[in-house]
Amino acid sequence: MTFLRARGVVKSYGHTPALRGVSVDVDEGEIVAVTGPSGCGKSTLLHCLAGILRPDAGEIRYRDQRVDALPEATRSRLRRTEFGVLFQFGQLVAELTAAENVALPLLFAGTGRREARVAALTWLDRLGVADLADTRPGEMSGGQQQRCAVARALVTEPRVLFADEPTGALDSLTGEQVLIQLVRLAREQRTTVVLVTHDVQVAGYATREVTMRDGGIDPTGLGLATSVRYP
Ligand code: ADP
Ligand code: ADP
């Protein structure tokens, strides 16, 4: 059984076509970089795969489930339990400390406060920001905030992590450090990762690159990455 699959996915915003029939398979444990120029449909594909957007046509399958056919409540539960999502700007809650932010997905999933706090501290430690547990996002650097956002995306130990330009707002050195940690932790947890990026460096950390062009998969497969660092 395929782990995660898109088949003939079509999606438009009003009259703007974003996906013109995209098919892609992702195996469990892969770290797939979706690359291609701005506006080619990368984010839209990621949102369809993650069950955030519903395609106009085609299907999204996750293990034995037709994600696109699930009612919103079920898709939302899937996103809270099996999937993790991470965006360019960590979208941490400004009023909450790092530990409270990281604990949030667990509290939503029904985990008790004490247990959620312990897990949050563990994940902050794994990202090397344990000392920021009681700090609010406004007092952190961009890199520190994004490390907390990675901790928050992984704290539920999702089977799939969807990341849209997760290091796009950081300088390249900080971005690369955050990405190395993300990839290392994903591999340790056997988390499958689908990563949208237009950055050659970032794509180099994937196990496979899928290149898009103009709402479709680029059949030439000529990616951005010159080398794959984690074969
Ligand atoms: P990428 O992630 O590769 O930059 P997107 O998936 O964001 O591409 O966008 C694909 C196309 O859909 C682009 O033409 C973009 O302008 C358009 N688009 C994306 N989101 C919206 C939206 N919410 N409303 C209207 N058009 C959109
Ligand atoms: P990304 O490609 O990383 O998603 P964008 O700048 O393309 O970044 O999109 C940021 C947000 O704006 C997304 O929510 C996207 O859906 C929306 N968006 C993108 N293009 C358009 C558009 N042409 N019209 C309206 N909204 C858009």
Side-chain angles (χ1 to χ4, degrees):
M1 184 185 16
T2 312
F3 185 66
L4 179 66
R5 138 179 304 185
R7 274 289 168 276
V9 170
V10 173
K11 179 73 188 176
S12 297
Y13 299 97
H15 295 295
T16 310
L19 300 176
R20 305 167 186 269
V22 171
S23 298
V24 64
D25 283 359
V26 176
D27 289 333
E28 187 164 19
E30 278 197 289
I31 297 175
V32 174
V34 180
T35 61
S38 181
C40 70
K42 304 182 295 296
S43 287
T44 304
L45 176 61
L46 188 94
H47 283 76
C48 287
L49 286 170
I52 298 166
L53 276 179
R54 207 194 276 269
D56 301 332
E59 64 176 65
I60 305 288
R61 198 171 275 279
Y62 168 65
R63 303 172 76 206
D64 57 354
Q65 298 183 83
R66 271 286 299 273
V67 174
D68 56 289
L70 296 173
E72 172 49 31
T74 316
R75 282 187 287 141
S76 143
R77 175 146 31 84
L78 194 62
R79 292 197 299 272
R80 280 201 310 273
T81 54
E82 312 255 316
F83 295 171
V85 290
L86 180 63
F87 296 103
Q88 177 163 357
F89 302 102
Q91 295 166 334
L92 298 174
V93 180
E95 294 75 20
L96 300 181
T97 65
E100 289 166 345
N101 265 286
V102 175
L104 216 47
L106 291 175
L107 297 177
F108 284 139
T111 307
R113 283 200 159 270
R114 194 183 304 263
E115 195 185 329
R117 165 117 186 141
V118 170
L121 294 177
T122 302
W123 278 95
L124 286 170
D125 189 44
R126 285 182 183 153
L127 271 301
V129 285
D131 53 323
L132 297 174
D134 298 316
T135 306
R136 289 188 171 72
E139 294 155 57
M140 300 178 201
S141 71
Q144 291 170 335
Q145 288 184 42
Q146 203 60 349
R147 283 188 176 86
C148 295
V150 172
R152 190 177 61 176
L154 292 176
V155 74
T156 56
E157 304 191 6
R159 297 191 64 167
V160 189
L161 176 66
F162 295 97
D164 193 349
E165 300 277 8
T167 59
L170 307 177
D171 67 75
S172 58
L173 181 62
T174 307
E176 196 162 349
Q177 287 168 346
V178 173
L179 199 81
I180 288 168
Q181 276 172 317
L182 189 159
V183 168
R184 179 174 54 78
L185 291 168
R187 290 170 77 93
E188 282 173 17
Q189 309 282 319
R190 250 184 98 64
T191 305
T192 304
V193 180
V194 182
L195 172 74
V196 161
T197 185
H198 62 267
D199 185 327
V200 186
Q201 298 274 102
V202 170
Y205 286 97
T207 55
R208 181 160 63 100
E209 186 178 359
V210 170
T211 310
M212 291 184 69
R213 202 160 303 282
D214 198 19
I217 303 295
D218 183 352
T220 68
L222 291 174
L224 293 167
T226 49
S227 67
V228 170
R229 273 168 245 192
Y230 289 92

